[in-house]
Amino acid sequence: MKLKRRRKLVTYLGILDQPVKFNPFVFSRNFVLWALLGLLGGVIAGVYWITLEFLTHQFAFFTGWAVIPLMAFCGLGAGLIIHWIGDPGEIHLIVNNIRFNKGKLDPKNNPSMILSSLLCVASGGSLGPEAPMVQITGSTGTYIGKLCRLKGEDLRSMSIAGMASGFTALFGAPLGSSLFSLEILHHKHAVEYYKAIIPAFVASCFSYLVFALIVHLGLGPLWDLSAYQYSGIFDFAYAVLFAMVGAAFGWAFIFCAKFFKTLFEKRPIPIYVKTTIGGILIGIIAFYLPITRYYGHHEINELLSANFSLTLLIAILVFKIIAIAITVTSGWRGGFIIPLFFSGATIGLIIHQLFPSVNLTLAIVSCMAAINACVTRTPMSTTILLATLTGFGHFIPILFASLTGYFLAPRIPFIGSQMEK
């Protein structure tokens, strides 16, 4: 039976290898592969999201002082999973494999990534599900590419298309997510992998459809910002000034993360000890400042609707940056994009408290764009993502802010594998 199945598989793959005869369109068999990858990525992301939401609701019952032992226990559990099953790596490893490992993402890391990230994100760590989704869907693209005997740039494009489908499922922005999966791979040469742009677009669109069907995702902005009214050419200058402040806090986050990384790596200790210590520290911060718990997907709206004092906003900003840095460096698994958006929104609110005459929406969006572009080096996709997520219909001020954050970023990128080999 096994021999017959193998023969059938070889036959089917041989059929796929043949060009579509009498086809007058650009449509080809590659489109089918990209669409299939997007559909599969949407299903994977939908199942992951439903599981994450279920666990988050279960862990949400732990409030007050109970948050501290919960975070410590979940940190220990995530560390033991990584210790026993294997280290799935972080966004640094994903970028490194796409750039220097012929675009291959290893699916064997997925069980460890899924289990550890679900514990880390659902319990309230300051990292989001974007990195786990990208790892899982990107490695799925690698697997399908190998199954169809793709090589070289075609295989790399399948992996990137898989990554884009994972980004899209979380952000609900196919165009911005496709560009993000390309921009994040290199800190200077954004067009180096643009051969994968059409595969990424196709996979993202199909992933979005399936994910929206599974989780009942609608169209419209995710975060409720007040309407922005253009008041003149000086708005662009304000966007740049706000972005400079956001970039400064991008630097603060990078140095904070390096500081905690030095502390955690000062002595060789098991991964489950580091994750437990990280959980205790994050839990203490969440106990005193509950809004810093979780990665910010829903908390940004809470932040925008609440009327926090200036002192409390400064405390939220400082300890949120510390919480993200601890979560990143202590071995917890997840992504830091939405947590950085949360920090940027807090900076914008602080600026508005200090200078009530400035446009609140412009300040928030500019700071969100700048801090993310400063850390991730993705000005183009950050512009499109924020326009989609916030409903801010004017691209140009966001682009000014994103470029400001990008060009004021440290010379050595936070994601080290973005540099030249």
Side-chain angles (χ1 to χ4, degrees), residues 45 50 62 69 80 114 122 133 135-136 176 182 217 224 270 273 296 299 338 394 406 419:
I50 291 173
F62 293 85
L80 289 174
I114 292 170
M133 284 189 182
Q135 163 66 33
I136 299 163
L182 300 176
L217 179 70
D224 300 324
V273 176
E299 287 68 33
I338 292 183
H394 303 269
Y406 174 77
M419 295 183 67

Side-chain angles (χ1 to χ4, degrees), residues 48 52 55 78 81-82 88 110-125 127-133 136 331-335:
Y48 182 95
L52 177 63
L55 290 175
I81 289 170
I82 295 171
N110 288 347
S112 177
M113 176 62 88
I114 292 170
L115 296 175
S116 61
S117 65
L118 283 173
L119 276 178
C120 293
V121 178
S123 62
L127 291 179
E130 59 267 30
M133 284 189 182
I136 299 163
W332 282 50
R333 293 298 181 259

Side-chain angles (χ1 to χ4, degrees), residues 243-255 314 317-318 321 340 343-344 347 350-351 367 371 374-375:
M244 292 171 68
V245 180
F249 281 95
W251 276 74
F253 163 72
I254 292 172
F255 280 109
I314 293 174
L317 173 61
V318 171
I321 289 177
L340 288 176
S343 300
I347 298 169
I350 292 173
I351 292 175
C367 292
I371 191 172
C374 178
V375 176

Side-chain angles (χ1 to χ4, degrees), residues 102-167:
K102 301 179 181 179
K104 299 176 183 177
L105 299 178
D106 198 342
K108 75 177 182 181
N109 295 326
N110 288 347
S112 177
M113 176 62 88
I114 292 170
L115 296 175
S116 61
S117 65
L118 283 173
L119 276 178
C120 293
V121 178
S123 62
S126 287
L127 291 179
E130 59 267 30
M133 284 189 182
V134 166
Q135 163 66 33
I136 299 163
T137 54
S139 61
T140 302
T142 301
Y143 177 78
I144 294 177
K146 286 183 176 179
L147 191 65
C148 296
R149 295 179 287 185
L150 299 181
K151 296 179 180 179
E153 288 301 317
D154 290 332
L155 179 61
R156 195 196 310 271
S157 294
M158 284 293 288
S159 300
I160 294 174
M163 291 172 57
S165 69
F167 271 127

Side-chain angles (χ1 to χ4, degrees), residues 191-421:
V191 297
E192 183 171 344
Y193 302 103
Y194 261 54
K195 182 178 180 181
I197 190 65
I198 297 300
F201 280 163
V202 174
S204 292
C205 289
F206 279 89
S207 173
Y208 177 83
L209 288 175
V210 175
F211 185 77
L213 181 65
I214 293 175
V215 304
H216 306 291
L217 179 70
L219 292 173
L222 181 64
W223 300 315
D224 300 324
L225 293 179
S226 58
Y228 165 72
Q229 295 292 333
Y230 175 71
S231 59
I233 195 69
F234 285 105
D235 277 8
F236 299 108
Y238 284 130
V240 172
L241 288 175
F242 300 149
M244 292 171 68
V245 180
F249 281 95
W251 276 74
F253 163 72
I254 292 172
F255 280 109
C256 188
K258 289 184 177 180
F259 170 74
F260 282 106
K261 184 178 181 180
T262 302
L263 288 182
F264 282 113
E265 294 181 352
K266 196 170 185 179
R267 292 184 178 180
I269 56 177
I271 181 67
Y272 50 84
V273 176
K274 290 201 299 183
T275 53
T276 304
I277 295 172
I280 295 172
L281 296 175
I282 302 165
I284 292 172
I285 295 174
F287 169 68
Y288 287 102
L289 294 168
I291 198 172
T292 62
R293 190 181 175 190
Y294 302 110
Y295 60 99
H297 189 262
H298 302 292
E299 287 68 33
I300 289 179
N301 278 332
E302 182 182 345
L303 182 72
L304 297 174
S305 60
N307 189 22
F308 292 126
S309 66
L310 177 61
T311 304
L312 185 55
L313 284 173
I314 293 174
I316 290 170
L317 173 61
V318 171
F319 284 99
K320 183 63 176 181
I321 289 177
I322 293 174
I324 301 170
I326 293 173
T327 314
V328 168
T329 56
S330 63
W332 282 50
R333 293 298 181 259
F336 46 79
I337 298 168
I338 292 183
L340 288 176
F341 284 154
F342 178 93
S343 300
T346 310
I347 298 169
L349 288 169
I350 292 173
I351 292 175
H352 183 67
Q353 289 261 17
L354 293 172
F355 307 99
S357 61
V358 303
N359 187 288
L360 174 61
T361 302
L362 181 63
I364 290 174
V365 172
S366 298
C367 292
M368 292 172 80
I371 191 172
N372 186 67
C374 178
V375 176
T376 63
R377 312 296 181 95
T378 55
M380 291 185 291
S381 53
T382 294
T383 302
I384 299 174
L385 284 175
L386 278 177
T388 305
L389 293 172
T390 63
F392 193 95
H394 303 269
F395 274 56
I396 300 178
I398 310 179
L399 184 57
F400 270 64
S402 296
L403 288 173
T404 302
Y406 174 77
F407 285 111
L408 293 181
R411 183 177 296 273
I412 299 176
F414 177 71
I415 303 175
S417 47
Q418 287 180 328
M419 295 183 67
E420 297 289 351
K421 187 173 180 180

